[in-house]
Amino acid sequence: MFKRSLSNTTKKMVASNLIEANSFQVTTYARPENLCFTRGKNAILFDDINNKQYIDFTAGIAVTGLGHSNPEVAEVISKQALKLVHSSNLYYNEECLKLSEKLIEKTIQFDGQSDATKVFLCNSGTEANEAALKFAKKHGIIKNPKKQGIIAFENSFHGRTMGALSATWGIKYRVPFGDLVPHFKFLNINDELGKLQAYIEQNASEIAGLIIEPIQGEGGIFPIPTEKLIGLKKICHDNDIIVIYDEIQCGLGRSGKLWAHSYLPKEAHPDIFTSAKALGNGFPIGATIINDKVNNALQVGDHGTTYGGNPLGSAVSNYVVDVIADQKFLDHVNEKSKIFVSFLKSLQEKYPNQIKDVRGKGLILGVEFAESPASIVVKARELGLLIITAGKTTVRFVPALTIEDDIAQKGLEIFEQAVKEVLN
Ligand SMILES: Cc1ncc(COP(=O)(O)O)c(C=O)c1O
């Protein structure tokens, strides 16, 4: 009876022939063979098809901050789905209004001071950045039609749509797609601040905005030094250039504060910042949060999206933000961070020639190896741990912020075992 109701896809999956089951998917992803997750519980993922389970230090690429299949999130989804899923941006909806107010209030509370005043809701990280770039360009163009360039940084990742992609450093992401959006310029954050400022000042009449991740994620987990962010904000402020912080990966508690920029003094806070990933704990949602300077440049009709701010996504994010924007929750993140950092630093001491650096903040951490750690990732998976790389030589640790201490410890021990087996 059960067997008769199986689809062809499921039959192939049960037979562990995932390559065949995958033959109808566009070939844009490289995936390990014979690994297919069927359920999750906080920081554990289960592959019931192959009867295996894994400790997950990837959290869906820094998405499931509150863990896989969080029962409270599931309850919010099911209650809201029975009430109202979507009504469009033709009309107001309560959850969207509540979420916008909450994001501003919590930002003011956790940043100490903030001039963030308005929120644009969308459905993903790349869309949140797309809105940010458009808003910055509009602000510039109003002043001077030539003031429409965007400064981005080497090692950045901002998304895959044409605007966000134009600000993304990796050549492999950009080059296959020919001409992208014009007037994007990449600077190297490791250059002296004076040099960066001089370039921006000299070209200010043609620069609308600057976009940067306060902690670069995909590029290799590089926290940007505070003095650099203060100096960049100052030169941009003095030259009427909009500063955008991409907090899609490093925001919402991941750094140990509500936002990664919450560590910074007020003078380095952004004009726009973007959030996504953890904002929906896996439900697709993104947000672009702006100040009045940016908002004053916008008019009805300038931007929009059918799904953005829908009641279902907004209800999930209302729950997520309530949980994460709580000092006790953030204190726990910092406690868990200590478990990871002390273990990884002592591992570095055991392998001083092969492990070059342990860096990051909160639960966005990177271990940089002297060579590509790709085989360590594969070995860890064989041993029951999921990790991902960032940049060419770094392993990234972005587990659920709610990971249990003993699961974290067990996963770290598996990581050490993988390092040992590969390096020895
Ligand atoms: C910093 C940063 N910005 C933007 C994005 C794009 O987000 P999405 O994949 O939701 O479009 C990502 C995704 O990895 C990211 O890490």
Side-chain angles (χ1 to χ4, degrees):
M1 160 96 175
F2 173 64
K3 277 212 164 132
R4 252 190 291 140
S5 66
L6 288 182
S7 71
N8 284 339
T9 303
T10 315
K11 280 183 205 152
K12 285 174 197 158
M13 287 168 73
V14 170
S16 263
N17 196 342
L18 290 171
I19 295 176
E20 215 180 291
N22 186 42
S23 59
F24 294 99
Q25 277 222 314
V26 170
T27 49
T28 52
Y29 299 108
R31 295 174 176 136
E33 281 172 36
N34 293 333
L35 183 60
C36 181
F37 295 118
T38 42
R39 62 199 164 92
K41 191 162 189 265
N42 202 20
I44 308 276
L45 277 172
F46 298 86
D47 172 355
D48 292 316
I49 291 170
N50 295 299
N51 221 355
K52 286 190 179 154
Q53 68 181 60
Y54 298 81
I55 293 175
D56 181 15
F57 281 176
T58 72
I61 321 188
V63 166
T64 50
L66 302 185
H68 293 294
S69 314
N70 181 302
E72 281 83 23
V73 172
E75 199 181 329
V76 172
I77 292 176
S78 99
K79 277 197 179 147
Q80 186 60 42
L82 288 167
K83 225 167 136 191
L84 184 65
V85 172
H86 173 80
S87 55
S88 91
N89 282 308
L90 293 173
Y91 314 104
Y92 295 113
N93 85 71
E94 195 187 351
E95 292 297 331
C96 167
L97 300 179
K98 263 169 50 186
L99 177 60
S100 304
E101 183 178 7
K102 190 172 295 176
L103 282 168
I104 297 299
E105 276 183 8
K106 298 290 184 189
T107 298
I108 292 170
Q109 182 188 339
F110 282 85
D111 282 8
Q113 281 174 303
S114 170
D115 56 3
T117 53
K118 308 274 184 214
V119 177
F120 178 84
L121 292 170
C122 56
N123 316 289
S124 66
T126 199
E127 279 176 76
N129 284 337
E130 208 68 31
L133 295 168
K134 282 178 76 177
F135 295 171
K137 270 169 128 22
K138 177 92 196 285
H139 177 270
I141 287 166
I142 285 175
K143 313 262 156 125
N144 159 7
K146 286 202 160 160
K147 198 170 172 63
Q148 53 167 303
I150 302 286
I151 300 287
F153 288 87
E154 295 181 14
N155 275 322
S156 62
F157 186 90
H158 297 295
R160 309 276 199 148
T161 51
M162 295 305 250
L165 184 61
S166 305
T168 290
W169 168 246
I171 283 174
K172 69 175 181 193
Y173 301 121
R174 282 185 290 123
V175 164
F177 303 101
D179 294 339
L180 300 180
V181 180
H183 313 300
F184 278 69
K185 166 83 181 167
F186 291 101
L187 298 181
N188 185 339
I189 195 68
N190 297 319
D191 282 350
E192 272 182 25
L193 179 59
K195 185 176 169 198
L196 298 171
Q197 287 178 318
Y199 179 86
I200 293 170
E201 190 148 48
Q202 276 155 24
N203 296 282
S205 63
E206 299 189 355
I207 303 173
L210 173 148
I211 183 164
I212 189 164
E213 298 155 83
I215 303 173
Q216 288 182 322
E218 302 293 318
I221 314 296
F222 294 109
I224 308 297
T226 302
E227 328 77 71
K228 285 264 166 81
L229 292 171
I230 294 176
L232 288 173
K233 176 67 200 292
K234 180 166 184 347
I235 198 77
C236 289
H237 178 265
D238 293 350
N239 289 282
D240 213 3
I241 294 168
I242 297 301
V243 170
I244 305 164
Y245 287 168
D246 177 340
E247 294 246 7
I248 287 159
Q249 184 155 170
C250 61
L252 273 175
R254 189 142 291 282
S255 71
K257 294 230 182 217
L258 180 59
W259 306 112
H261 76 255
S262 309
Y263 281 98
L264 301 172
K266 162 103 172 92
E267 70 260 31
H269 288 180
D271 300 299
I272 304 182
F273 67 96
T274 53
S275 176
K277 287 193 184 270
L279 188 57
N281 207 57
F283 192 93
I285 183 165
T288 307
I289 297 152
I290 69 177
N291 63 16
D292 279 340
K293 182 156 97 173
V294 179
N295 191 51
N296 289 340
L298 301 177
Q299 285 176 352
V300 170
D302 272 346
H303 195 48
T305 153
T306 301
Y307 293 129
N310 66 74
L312 184 52
S314 302
V316 175
S317 295
N318 269 313
Y319 176 77
V320 168
V321 176
D322 277 342
V323 173
I324 294 179
D326 172 337
Q327 194 50 53
K328 282 205 193 94
F329 181 89
L330 296 170
D331 291 344
H332 283 301
V333 173
N334 288 309
E335 286 307 312
K336 287 176 202 301
S337 174
K338 285 184 197 153
I339 300 176
F340 278 84
V341 173
S342 74
F343 191 100
L344 296 172
K345 291 223 155 149
S346 66
L347 190 62
Q348 185 187 14
E349 279 165 22
K350 291 183 198 166
Y351 295 90
N353 297 326
Q354 291 98 332
I355 297 183
K356 286 171 64 186
D357 198 12
V358 174
R359 58 176 178 259
K361 278 186 183 155
L363 288 176
I364 176 163
L365 299 168
V367 175
E368 185 173 348
F369 286 83
E371 285 173 16
S372 164
S375 41
I376 293 174
V377 173
V378 173
K379 178 53 73 183
R381 195 164 59 233
E382 278 169 29
L383 297 172
L385 172 72
L386 302 174
I387 41 176
I388 31 170
T389 54
K392 289 201 170 77
T393 49
T394 300
V395 172
R396 175 173 20 170
F397 294 77
V398 284
L401 306 178
T402 51
I403 189 169
E404 299 86 349
D405 293 358
D406 58 330
I407 301 290
Q409 183 65 30
K410 176 95 183 66
L412 286 163
E413 283 162 15
I414 297 177
F415 180 62
E416 173 161 12
Q417 183 64 27
V419 169
K420 197 165 133 193
E421 288 190 30
V422 172
L423 296 185
N424 286 347

